[in-house]
Every structure is written in C-alpha cells, then in structure tokens.
Amino acid sequence: MKILVTGGAGYIGSHTCVELLEAGWEVVVADNYSNSVPAVLDRVEAITGKTLQRYEADIRDRSAMDRIFEENEIQAVIHFAGLKAVGESTRIPLAYYENNVYGSVVLFESMAAHGCKNIVFSSSATVYGNNPIPYEETMPVGDVSSPYGRTKYFIEEILGDLYRSDPDWSISLLRYFNPIGAHESGLIGEDPNGIPNNLMPYISRVAIGKLPLLTVFGGDYDTKDGTCIRDYIHVVDLAKAHVCAVRKLMDGSGLQAYNIGNGKGYSVLDIIHAFEKASGVKLSYVIGDRRPGDLPAFYADASKANRELGWCAALDIDKMCLDTWNFQTKNPDGIH
Ligand code: NAD
Ligand code: UD1
C-alpha cells in the first residue's frame, strides 16, 4: 500500500513519513526542496531503518505528477507541499496563490486522471478566523487574515467542490493548531531558513545564542498573563494523526474536517517558562508591541478526531520543549 507524500521533506511531512513507514506503509515523496533538503529523507530512513522512494518534483508540474502516478500504484496522497510564511504571503500573495492553490489543482487533476481519489490535506486553524473558542469543525470558516490563510481556505473549498462533483473522493481536511517539537532522535525537526517567524524556533535560537532576544508580541491582551494563548501540539502527535486519517480514508469516509490540536491553551509566557525548564537556559525576552493579525487566544475542540479517527494527542508541553531543544543542540547549524 503506497502513499504519496507531497512536501515530505518538510517539517511535518518528514515526521509523517517516519510514522507511515513505522506503520508499514510504502512511502513515495515528491518535494521540490524549496524549503527543505534531501538529507532530511536520509534521516527519515536512518530513524526507521526503511527506505522510501523520492522524486524531486514540483506539484505545479503536471507531467512530473503524472509520472509519479504512472510509476507507482498510489492508494492515497498526503498533501503538505506549500509555502507557509504568513508575513511573506502579504508581500508576495501571487506566489502563494500560484504555488499553493494552482499547485494543488494540478495535483488533484493528476490524481483524478489516475483514479486516485483519497487525500489528506494540511489545512490550518487559521481558517476559523475570529470564532468563539474552542474552535469546532462546524463553525464558519473563511474570515482569514492573510493570503497564506486564504490559500488554505480556498483549497478546502476546491476539495469540497470536487467531492460534491464526484462522491467517490475521500477527503480529510486536517486543521492543525500550532505544531512544535521534534522527533525524539533529534535527527529531524523544524529548521526554518533565516530568522524564524514562529515562536518555538525563535525561542530555541535565542536559547542556543544565535539570536540575542525574543520579543513577546503583546503583553496587554485580555488573557491570564496578558500574552496570547495558543494550542501547541507535538509534531509527532500531529504526524500520527495523518496515519489515522489515511486509515479512515480507506473506509470511504467522504469529506471531513478535523481539528488536530491538544485542546489546551498555553500563553507565550507559559511556553517561555516550559522551555527554560526543559533546556536549563534562561531566555532573554522583552514584551513588545502586538503583531498585526494575531488573535488573543484560540485552541481546539479535538473531540471529533478523538471519536472518528481514534486519535488523541499524547505528548505534553514539557516533552515538546525537550524535543525541540534536543534537535536544536544536535543540529546547531540546521540540516544540510
Ligand atoms: P515546510 O515548509 O517545512 O514543508 C513544506 C514542504 O513542501 C517543503 O519541503 C517544501 O520544499 C515543499 N514544497 C513547497 N512547495 C512545493 C511545490 N510547489 N512542489 C513540491 N514541493 C513543495 O512546512 P511544514 O511546516 O512542514 O508544513 C507542511 C504543510 O502544513 C504546509 O502546507 C503548511 O501550510 C501546513 N501547515 C503548517 C503549519 C505549521 O505551523 N508548520 C500549521 C498549519 C498548516
Ligand atoms: C502563525 C500564523 C498561522 C499559521 C501558523 C503556523 C499568524 C497571524 N498566524 O500562527 O496562520 O498557521 O503560524 O505557521 O502569523 N510570538 C511572539 N514572538 C515571536 C513569535 C511569536 O510573541 O517572535 C507569539 C505570537 O504572537 C503568538 C504565539 O507566539 O501569540 C505563536 O506565534 P506563531 O508561532 O507565529 O504562531 P501563530 O501566530 O499562532
């Protein structure tokens, strides 16, 4: 049973490849390495002791996608490939629509042409915009604050239309909350280029001395300590959710959205303190201005995924920090 993983060399994709291989699936990766390196896949093989098949391929390249489906009998696709930097997406929105939305359409066309109609899509909690918390899958989506977020929303809508046109499709929209952490081995983890935009990679670069100071974006929110609240989820728990979602697709589950989060909210200061405890390093930080577009607080109601996918987050915030720090110290200069 073969799964095609687009973007499989990336942060979440690589952890998912590990879980798929360990669950006994054969894995084919398509990645253009625009935000990753092939060495990550060597490390996936080292962790699992198994091999995967790899294509240096762009999802926007129809002939490259067709070739993968012609050379392999693919049962399902897990679609991670995409650009994900929120700030960048406001500066170069067309690149985001072209890569994420157009690229997804090309991939779906190739799947349809080869009779592969099972897909798990990497969506985001960002599609909920400003809704009451905790977020539930039945809430309205689409009030999104960035072009990046809109690409996720538009792809969800495209998949919805596809399903309504042909109910033979099985489609799982996984709405991730805030993935952090790394594989326990310290061989794979989050390795952003340049200065990180997201909290956890920023913190770990401050802790290792590569960045001088963390700025906490806002200390005057109406939350328990004035800083924003998010639902952080260990990337290994998130990766396992994909294995559960693929299994469910095989039962012909139709079109479903699932929140993949812990269901617990932690403030920025909670994360700083948990990281200090895990690493033994005192972090330098200042409270700065709010970041435009940030919501004060959100977290998941993940009970649908618990119930229907048999999935549950198992790893706590201390483990998330410990594994992030382990990856950072073992790979001070990233993965090459
Ligand atoms: P990542 O950048 O580490 O991984 C994405 C991978 O896709 C990279 O290896 C990149 O080289 C590849 N890629 C990009 N465009 C491609 C293209 N046109 N053709 C082939 N490969 C391409 O990102 P990630 O954090 O692993 O995120 C994976 C997916 O999950 C993304 O779609 C992202 O939007 C979504 N997501 C991520 C988060 C998060 O916090 N990391 C949250 C919600 C949703
Ligand atoms: C962001 C994106 C979201 C995307 C997700 C994963 C925005 C508005 N949202 O979520 O669409 O799906 O990343 O890529 O960008 N923080 C600091 N200092 C920092 C960095 C972050 O205080 O240097 C705070 C933020 O204000 C936030 C929390 O840490 O409260 C988490 O931030 P981040 O990791 O960027 O994730 P989100 O903003 O939740």
Side-chain angles (χ1 to χ4, degrees):
M1 300 281 266
K2 269 191 192 176
I3 307 288
L4 171 63
V5 182
T6 73
Y11 172 46
I12 307 169
S14 57
H15 289 82
T16 301
C17 287
V18 167
E19 297 304 321
L20 288 167
L21 289 167
E22 288 183 344
W25 293 89
E26 288 178 73
V27 174
V28 179
V29 168
D31 203 303
N32 66 358
Y33 304 119
S34 57
N35 198 35
S36 56
V37 292
V40 169
L41 298 175
D42 301 337
R43 293 177 175 215
V44 168
E45 292 180 339
I47 291 168
T48 58
K50 298 185 178 176
T51 52
L52 44 71
Q53 215 172 325
R54 29 180 120 176
Y55 288 84
E56 180 166 355
D58 194 300
I59 55 165
R60 292 165 293 182
D61 180 345
R62 175 66 194 269
S63 59
M65 292 300 107
D66 285 347
R67 189 177 146 220
I68 295 173
F69 286 101
E70 276 148 25
E71 292 180 357
N72 301 277
E73 205 177 311
I74 304 285
Q75 263 82 39
V77 175
I78 305 183
H79 177 32
F80 294 106
L83 302 175
K84 64 162 184 178
V86 174
E88 182 184 66
S89 79
T90 63
R91 292 190 297 277
I92 48 166
L94 294 182
Y96 274 67
Y97 290 119
E98 203 256 343
N99 194 79
N100 295 7
V101 180
Y102 169 72
S104 294
V105 170
V106 173
L107 170 69
F108 305 155
E109 282 173 341
S110 182
M111 290 177 68
H114 295 87
C116 176
K117 298 182 179 179
N118 298 319
I119 183 162
V120 178
F121 171 59
S122 293
S123 189
S124 167
T126 196
V127 299
Y128 289 109
N130 208 349
N131 263 302
I133 45 177
Y135 290 164
E136 293 167 15
E137 290 87 350
T138 49
M139 287 175 172
V141 293
D143 174 23
V144 184
S145 65
S146 72
Y148 160 74
R150 264 184 288 283
T151 68
K152 293 290 157 190
Y153 169 61
F154 290 160
I155 298 164
E156 283 202 1
E157 292 293 302
I158 290 167
L159 284 168
D161 286 336
L162 189 54
Y163 175 70
R164 285 180 285 276
S165 76
D166 177 359
D168 284 347
W169 281 80
S170 284
I171 299 167
S172 195
L173 311 172
L174 300 190
R175 294 176 180 158
Y176 312 156
F177 283 68
N178 288 53
I180 58 172
H183 191 266
E184 204 168 32
S185 62
L187 285 173
I188 54 173
E190 190 169 14
D191 183 24
N193 293 324
I195 297 178
N197 300 303
N198 298 114
L199 179 63
M200 192 48 111
Y202 205 106
I203 285 182
S204 66
R205 290 203 186 168
V206 171
I208 203 151
K210 294 210 173 260
L211 289 170
L213 182 77
L214 170 74
T215 301
V216 175
F217 295 143
D220 59 351
Y221 285 100
D222 184 16
T223 58
K224 60 173 187 170
D225 59 19
T227 68
C228 291
I229 305 270
R230 295 288 182 272
D231 180 336
Y232 295 91
I233 173 161
H234 197 298
V235 67
V236 171
D237 274 335
L238 176 58
K240 288 181 198 286
H242 292 79
V243 179
C244 297
V246 163
R247 283 201 191 107
K248 183 79 179 171
L249 286 184
M250 298 303 156
D251 304 338
S253 49
L255 171 70
Q256 297 291 341
Y258 296 102
N259 289 339
I260 307 295
N262 245 295
K264 293 190 193 93
Y266 289 96
S267 71
V268 177
L269 293 181
D270 288 336
I271 299 296
I272 290 174
H273 297 139
F275 195 91
E276 287 182 332
K277 189 173 123 200
S279 64
V281 177
K282 192 98 192 106
L283 289 168
S284 304
Y285 69 89
V286 288
I287 308 282
D289 292 341
R290 293 181 176 195
R291 181 172 64 179
D294 273 349
L295 291 168
F298 61 84
Y299 51 91
D301 176 339
S303 55
K304 184 179 176 193
N306 302 165
R307 225 173 29 245
E308 295 186 13
L309 300 180
W311 170 87
C312 203
L315 304 171
D316 65 14
I317 204 77
D318 294 332
K319 179 73 173 149
M320 297 179 212
C321 292
L322 204 63
D323 288 339
T324 301
W325 185 233
N326 181 41
F327 175 73
Q328 180 68 75
T329 49
K330 285 191 169 141
N331 305 275
D333 299 315
I335 302 175
H336 306 287

